[in-house]
Amino acid sequence: MSGTQFDGPDLVVAGAGGGLAGALRAAEHGLSVLVVEASEHYRRGNNTSMSTAMFPGAGSRWQAEAGVQDSPERFAADMAAKTRGQVDARLARTLAEVSAPLVEWLNDGVGLPMSLVTDFNYPGHSVTRCHTVPGRHGSTVIDHLARRVREHPAIDMLVPARLTDVLTGQDGAVRAVVVRMPDGSEEEIPTRGVLLATNGYGADRELVAEHMPEISKALYQGGEHSRGDALRIGEKLGAASGYLDAYQGHAAVAAGASTLVSWATIVLGGILVDLTGRRFGDETRGYSEYAAELAARPGSTGWIVIDETIHERCLAFQDYLDVVESGVLVRADDAASLAEATGLPAEVLAAELADSASAARGEIPDPHGRANWTRPLTPRYVAVRVVPALFHTQGGLIVNEHAAVVDREDRPIKGLYASGGAAAGVSGHGAAGYLAGNGLLPAFGLAYLAADDLARELAD
């Protein structure tokens, strides 16, 4: 690695999820980079690798080609609407503006084959703006980025190792980091820039119980090293933090397989019932807020019911394919057989299926206010038992429009940046404000912006 006058890398990145994109962007600017990652299994064990690889891009060229009218302003308005006005307006505007350049850079600069998802739209997005990779799975993204990073002469990786502290000089600017090795030894590494991409604190059950008790007993389906490191480091440096009660939940992890059932099952017309055989809300409001609602139902579990048509359409998702291969799906020719296969009350389930189909056809109003029905379900039915899960927290260090961490007076801490779950996101408070892509966009978008800003700072 080419050293600086500090005899260290220009940028140290803590975390190999979206942090890998930040490392590649910094190297593109001619900076030397060290990536420090706590898990040697990061290519399968972090939140990026476990995601559905959805990247919002408002105003991308793929949207233009598909005739989709979109803009950063429209995207920011969608974030404000989904969070009921609780979103950090500065960050929403920043991420909306960088979303399309980010997606295009991932395709053109990094070589990820991106395309616009047009076969359905996630709740809360007023237009189709999510882009993804073949297979629609984050492991494809992380594998590709890891290869590019390993091949780059200006980027080194230290794995496994954990960044435990950031040191500043008398001027308050970053001057070094402290890295702990698996044997407990520590090394101080000089640097002028640090990107905290360590995710949030979903793996710290005490913090989760403190800030989001309604989901604290649910399955945690995120990276095991998401322990709040960024919060602790930032607090020591006087950084501001916020939205600590915000998180992405998911109401559709397959019981017995611990594999995500794509929410496309719902968007395409499926329903979710609890153990009484009844629906308990408008499922299309969003999979994140529905996690806590499912957690509050009897047994904290339920069943997603679809049909063979939806099943065939969902085979485009690797997550759903994993569910299929796990053998946990049940099939039934009619409502009575479905009740027998699932153990749900037969009369109640049959009535719920009939009423849902009538609502989907527009014959009766849905009692839960659901208006988005792609089509009514028709036998043969397919069902899977699901449990709620916490995927990742959405609160963290407050950053400005350059991804720089700020103090409690909104002044940037020179050389310190945060992205993804390490930073406060754009989901407002709780789980209801989460939009599809609100995890990957701050993870990658803020890392991208941090690299750009540090490059400008070091060039001055």
Side-chain angles (χ1 to χ4, degrees), residues 90-275:
R90 174 176 65 183
L91 189 56
R93 181 177 63 252
T94 295
L95 289 174
E97 290 174 350
V98 80
S99 63
L102 171 69
V103 170
E104 294 181 3
W105 174 75
L106 288 173
N107 186 90
D108 302 340
V110 179
L112 278 168
M114 307 296 290
S115 62
L116 181 67
V117 177
T118 58
D119 51 352
F120 73 97
N121 198 22
Y122 281 103
H125 288 290
S126 59
V127 296
T128 52
R129 65 166 64 95
C130 284
H131 302 70
T132 191
V133 295
R136 303 182 181 186
H137 198 270
S139 59
T140 300
V141 176
I142 205 75
D143 285 348
H144 182 88
L145 293 177
R147 285 194 298 271
R148 294 294 296 265
V149 163
R150 286 199 308 270
E151 294 167 357
H152 205 293
I155 305 175
D156 283 343
M157 291 193 72
L158 195 54
V159 182
R162 188 173 182 178
L163 191 148
T164 60
D165 204 359
V166 174
L167 308 178
T168 56
Q170 292 184 346
D171 60 354
V174 167
R175 67 171 181 83
V177 297
V178 176
V179 175
R180 182 176 298 155
M181 307 304 175
D183 63 4
S185 63
E186 293 187 339
E187 180 181 355
E188 183 176 313
I189 302 173
T191 186
R192 289 187 290 181
V194 176
L195 171 60
L196 298 174
T198 54
N199 208 278
Y201 58 89
D204 187 319
R205 304 309 288 181
E206 291 185 4
L207 283 175
V208 171
E210 176 185 352
H211 295 293
M212 47 195 71
E214 72 276 13
I215 200 70
S216 62
K217 295 182 180 179
L219 173 71
Y220 173 57
Q221 194 84 344
E224 63 174 315
H225 293 281
S226 300
R227 301 171 185 168
D229 288 353
L231 279 176
R232 285 184 281 272
I233 291 170
E235 182 179 4
K236 177 184 174 184
L237 298 176
S241 61
Y243 299 96
L244 297 181
D245 61 337
Y247 64 96
Q248 183 210 346
H250 211 296
V253 173
S258 294
T259 302
L260 178 65
V261 181
S262 171
W263 204 245
T265 54
I266 296 295
V267 175
L268 294 172
I271 62 172
L272 176 55
V273 299
D274 65 14
L275 295 185

